């Protein structure tokens, strides 16, 4: 045993500490502590750790490390370029779960308001999706507040009908037509209009008329209503009228074999008749389909001056 090791051991015993106690305090392995006390420095990993371990040991047992090393100058000195390696037992780190738990409250604190914002956004988006039937009523309200958007050109000479101007302010045009060849006009009793079921929101009517007879469809407006009239079974057919109506306005069309699709945004303001017979689906916003059955299979012609 070296003199330095003997002094360290005596100081340890005076404090009533075992090598296990010193190991717990200094985190230096017990076999290295025993080597320091016996003076067997070859057991230590390098000359640098000899002096470092001796200083740590001396501080743990209450001795002055500098005075101890100065008194025993034969302790190996560390090389100038020696890179210190960690051999002291590292103190246990906090478990990974404990560190993660520290961030959990913060994450939850931000997640909850974000979820609330997302829910509000989805709800607001759903409210912005207007039902098609409601769009018609919205157009009516907007045009009632601003009468300048609902202007109707007077009927053209020769019996032509002019479509009302659109809300964008485009002028309606009138195409002059020649007088049609007179056709026999059947009595109202010879033309019948009967309900023919429904297709979605559209109410269908079957119009029975003698072959070759002309079936007139008239629309008389008593106020403002968004009105669309098409040839065919839906809004994909030829456009006959498109825009807002005005009080006192009258439109006239001829029903052909291809049928006629009529859409009124505000039904109480538009009276629709087929050869004088009023047709309605008794709804505030109407979608009507007229199908002609004349038994001949020939197509009817549009009335003179029908608005485009």
């Amino acid at each position: 045993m070296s003199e330095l090791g003997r002094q360290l051991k005596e100081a340890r015993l005076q404090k009533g500490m075992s090598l296990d106690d010193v190991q717990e305090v200094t985190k230096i392995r017990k076999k290295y502590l025993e080597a320091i006390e016996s003076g067997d420095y070859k057991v230590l990993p390098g000359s640098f750790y000899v002096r470092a371990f001796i200083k740590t040991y001396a501080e743990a047992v209450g001795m002055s490390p500098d005075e101890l090393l100065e008194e025993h100058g034969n302790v190996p000195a560390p090389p100038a370029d020696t890179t210190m390696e960690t051999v002291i037992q590292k103190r246990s780190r906090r478990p990974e779960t404990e560190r993660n738990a520290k961030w959990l409250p913060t994450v939850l604190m931000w997640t909850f308001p974000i979820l609330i914002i997302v829910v509000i956004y989805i709800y607001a988006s759903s409210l912005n999706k207007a039902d098609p039937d409601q769009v018609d009523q919205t157009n009516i309200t907007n045009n009632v507040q601003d009468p300048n958007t609902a202007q109707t050109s007077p009927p053209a000479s020769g019996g032509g009908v002019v479509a009302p101007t659109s809300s964008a302010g485009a002028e309606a045009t009138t195409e002059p037509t020649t007088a049609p060849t007179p056709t026999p006009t059947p009595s109202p009793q010879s033309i019948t209009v009967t309900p023919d079921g429904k297709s979605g929101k559209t109410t269908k009517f079957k119009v029975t008329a003698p072959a070759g007879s002309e079936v007139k469809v008239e629309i008389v407006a008593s106020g403002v209503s968004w009105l669309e009239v098409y040839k065919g079974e839906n809004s994909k057919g030829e456009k006959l009228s498109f825009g807002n109506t005005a009080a006192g306005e009258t439109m006239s069309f001829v029903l052909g074999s291809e049928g006629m699709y009529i859409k009124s945004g505000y039904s109480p303001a538009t009276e629709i008749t087929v050869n004088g017979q009023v047709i309605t689906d008794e709804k505030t916003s109407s979608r009507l389909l007229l199908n002609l059955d004349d038994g001949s299979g020939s197509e009817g012609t549009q009335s003179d001056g029908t608005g485009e």
Side-chain angles (χ1 to χ4, degrees):
M1 179 180 292
S2 65
E3 181 63 22
L4 184 146
R6 184 184 61 76
Q7 291 182 9
L8 290 173
K9 183 176 181 179
E10 288 179 355
R12 174 174 63 79
L13 295 176
Q14 287 179 2
K15 281 188 166 292
M17 300 174 67
S18 64
L19 286 176
D20 293 330
D21 296 332
V22 178
Q23 176 181 252
E24 180 65 24
V25 173
T26 61
K27 304 303 178 183
I28 300 174
R29 294 181 182 177
K30 184 177 180 180
K31 68 176 184 177
Y32 295 151
L33 298 176
E34 292 174 343
I36 292 173
E37 289 186 353
S38 63
D40 187 9
Y41 301 139
K42 295 180 180 180
V43 177
L44 276 68
S47 58
F48 177 85
Y49 296 104
V50 175
R51 299 177 69 86
F53 286 179
I54 291 174
K55 283 185 176 183
T56 304
Y57 191 168
E59 291 175 351
V61 296
M63 298 183 67
S64 173
D66 295 333
E67 293 179 1
L68 183 64
L69 292 175
E70 185 179 353
E71 181 180 351
H72 301 278
N74 59 345
V75 177
D81 59 347
T82 302
T83 301
M84 181 175 182
E85 299 178 1
T86 304
V87 295
I88 299 177
Q89 294 180 351
K90 295 182 179 180
R91 296 180 180 178
S92 61
R93 300 173 61 186
R94 287 183 298 176
E96 190 72 18
T97 55
E98 182 181 347
R99 291 187 288 115
N100 292 338
K102 178 181 178 181
W103 294 97
L104 185 59
T106 303
V107 174
L108 293 177
M109 180 181 68
W110 286 103
T111 301
F112 185 70
I114 290 175
L115 289 176
I116 293 178
I117 294 173
V118 171
V119 172
I120 294 175
Y121 175 78
I122 294 174
Y123 178 73
S125 298
S126 64
L127 292 180
N128 291 333
K129 295 180 180 179
D131 185 84
D133 289 336
Q134 296 176 350
V135 174
D136 296 332
Q137 191 62 33
T138 301
N139 289 331
I140 296 170
T141 304
N142 292 339
N143 285 280
V144 168
Q145 295 175 351
D146 186 6
N148 294 329
T149 60
Q151 299 178 356
T152 305
S153 299
S157 59
V161 178
V162 181
T165 59
S166 63
S167 58
E171 295 183 357
T173 58
T174 303
E175 294 183 1
T177 58
T178 58
T181 303
T183 56
T185 303
S187 64
Q189 290 78 11
S190 62
I191 297 177
T192 60
V193 182
T194 56
D196 194 26
K198 292 187 177 183
S199 176
K201 295 181 179 180
T202 302
T203 301
K204 299 190 297 182
F205 291 89
K206 181 179 180 181
V207 181
T208 304
S213 60
E214 182 180 82
V215 179
K216 289 187 178 181
V217 178
E218 291 186 347
I219 302 175
V220 179
S222 59
V224 178
S225 173
W226 181 261
L227 182 68
E228 299 177 27
V229 183
Y230 302 88
K231 279 187 178 182
E233 298 182 352
N234 49 48
S235 58
K236 296 181 180 179
E238 179 184 349
K239 186 186 299 183
L240 302 180
S241 179
F242 187 89
N244 283 306
T245 63
E249 182 182 3
T250 300
M251 299 182 185
S252 180
F253 309 92
V254 173
L255 177 63
S257 59
E258 68 273 10
M260 184 177 297
Y261 178 74
I262 304 173
K263 183 177 180 181
S264 175
Y266 185 53
S267 302
T270 54
E271 182 183 75
I272 304 171
T273 61
V274 178
N275 271 60
Q277 302 178 53
V278 178
I279 60 170
T280 179
D281 59 359
E282 298 182 353
K283 295 181 179 179
T284 302
S285 178
S286 300
R287 300 184 184 192
L288 310 177
L289 175 60
L290 305 179
N291 291 315
L292 178 62
D293 181 15
D294 61 358
S296 65
S298 60
E299 294 185 359
T301 59
Q302 181 183 342
S303 64
D304 298 338
T306 300
E308 294 181 0

